Amino acid sequence: MSPTDPVGAAHPVSPVTSLTVRRLLVRGMLAGLAAGAFALVVAYLLGESKVDAAIAFEESHAHEHGGAEPVSRAVQSTAGLATGLLVYGVALGGIAALAYCFALGRIGRIGARPTAVLLSAAALVAVYVVPFLKYPANPPAVGDPDTIGKRTALYFLMMLLGVLLAVAAAILGRRLVPRLGAWYATVAAGGFFVTAVGLAYAFLPAVDEVPEHFPAALLWQFRLAALAIQLTLWTSFGLLFGHLAGRLLEPVPPGASTGPGSVGAGTAASA
C-alpha cells in the first residue's frame, strides 16, 4: 500500500489460478481439520452428557434389552466422536475452499478474509440452520426407527433447498445491485430467501416423534448443544481459513512490513 492509498484500503487480491486453487484447497482442509478439533471440544463438553441422559431414558423405558453393543459407549464418545468430527471438518473444508474459489470477487468488492467469513456464515445458515429449524436434531430415544429413512430424506431435501435458495438469493442480489444499489439489493435478496424458506417449511411435512414423558429440558439442551457444535465449527473455519487465504491472496507489500526488524530500522533512521 502506497502512502497515497486511503487508510484501511484492502490489499489487491491475487488472481485465482489452478495452482492457487490447489493451495486454497489444502488450506481449506487444514482449516477444516482445526475447526473440527474445536467442535470436538464443544461436542464432548456440551453434547455427550445429553446423549448419555437420553440413552438412560431409553433403557429405562425399554420393554426388553438388546444384546451387547458392537461398539462400546466409551469408544463412541471418544474415538468415534473425534473421527467423525475431524473427517467431517476436513471434508467441509475442502468443499468450502472450492466454493470460495468460485465466490471470490463475485460477491462485491471485499477482500479475501471477509469473503471467507461471509461464505462460512452463509454456509452455516443454508447447510445447517435452515434444515435444523424444520427438522431439529434429536437425541437417542427420540424418533421411530421405522421412519428413519423418511426423516433422513426430508432433512437432506431441506438442506438441498437451503443451499439452492441461498445461491438463488445471491444471484438475485447481484443482478439487482445496478438497479437498487447494494443495500436495497441485499435486503431484497434476503427477503426472497426468507420467504422461499418459509414456503418450503409450510409445504414439507412436519415430523414430531418425541415419546411421551421424554424430558423437554433434555431435548432442548441437546438441540442447543448440536447448534453450538455447528456454530463453533463454521465460525472457527471462517476465521482460520480467512487468515490462511488472506496470507496467500493478499500478500503484504515489502515496504509495508511491520516486523521487529522494521521497527528497529525505523528507530535507527530517526535517530
Side-chain angles (χ1 to χ4, degrees):
M1 183 180 298
S2 65
T4 58
D5 289 339
V7 177
H11 297 299
V13 178
S14 302
V16 178
T17 62
S18 59
L19 178 60
T20 305
V21 171
R22 289 196 294 271
R23 290 175 175 175
L24 285 173
L25 179 62
V26 172
R27 284 160 173 78
M29 296 173 71
L30 291 176
L33 179 64
F38 285 117
L40 173 62
V41 174
V42 176
Y44 187 80
L45 294 178
L46 298 183
E48 284 305 304
S49 61
K50 311 303 183 297
V51 174
D52 290 336
I55 292 175
F57 175 89
E58 183 178 32
E59 292 177 346
S60 66
H61 289 74
H63 297 290
E64 58 182 29
H65 296 281
E69 294 181 346
V71 180
S72 68
R73 176 66 188 135
V75 174
Q76 293 176 16
S77 62
T78 53
L81 180 65
T83 301
L85 278 175
L86 294 179
V87 172
Y88 177 66
V90 172
L92 80 85
I95 296 172
L98 295 177
Y100 176 84
C101 293
F102 176 80
L104 191 63
R106 291 183 171 91
I107 54 176
R109 295 184 178 182
I110 58 177
R113 293 176 180 87
T115 299
V117 173
L118 183 61
L119 181 65
S120 297
L124 171 64
V125 172
V127 174
Y128 188 76
V129 175
V130 167
F132 175 85
L133 293 178
K134 178 64 177 179
Y135 304 113
N138 288 322
V142 174
D144 185 355
D146 295 333
T147 64
I148 187 171
K150 175 185 175 182
R151 288 184 281 118
T152 302
L154 287 173
Y155 183 87
F156 280 103
L157 175 60
M158 194 68 247
M159 180 189 297
L160 178 61
L161 287 175
V163 173
L164 293 177
L165 291 174
V167 173
I171 295 174
L172 176 64
R174 183 176 176 85
R175 291 185 176 180
L176 290 177
V177 167
R179 184 182 305 175
L180 302 179
W183 170 253
Y184 290 107
T186 302
V187 172
F192 162 79
F193 179 76
V194 171
T195 302
V197 169
L199 290 174
Y201 285 173
F203 283 102
L204 287 177
V207 175
D208 184 9
E209 298 179 353
V210 180
E212 189 178 2
H213 305 308
F214 189 88
L218 176 59
L219 181 62
W220 177 247
Q221 291 168 1
F222 178 86
R223 290 173 175 175
L224 285 181
L227 185 60
I229 293 168
Q230 294 293 326
L231 182 62
T232 301
L233 183 73
W234 286 102
T235 301
S236 301
F237 173 78
L239 295 175
L240 292 171
F241 181 65
H243 171 72
L244 296 176
R247 294 184 62 180
L248 175 66
L249 300 174
E250 298 176 349
V252 179
S257 177
T258 57
S262 62
V263 174
T267 304
S270 62

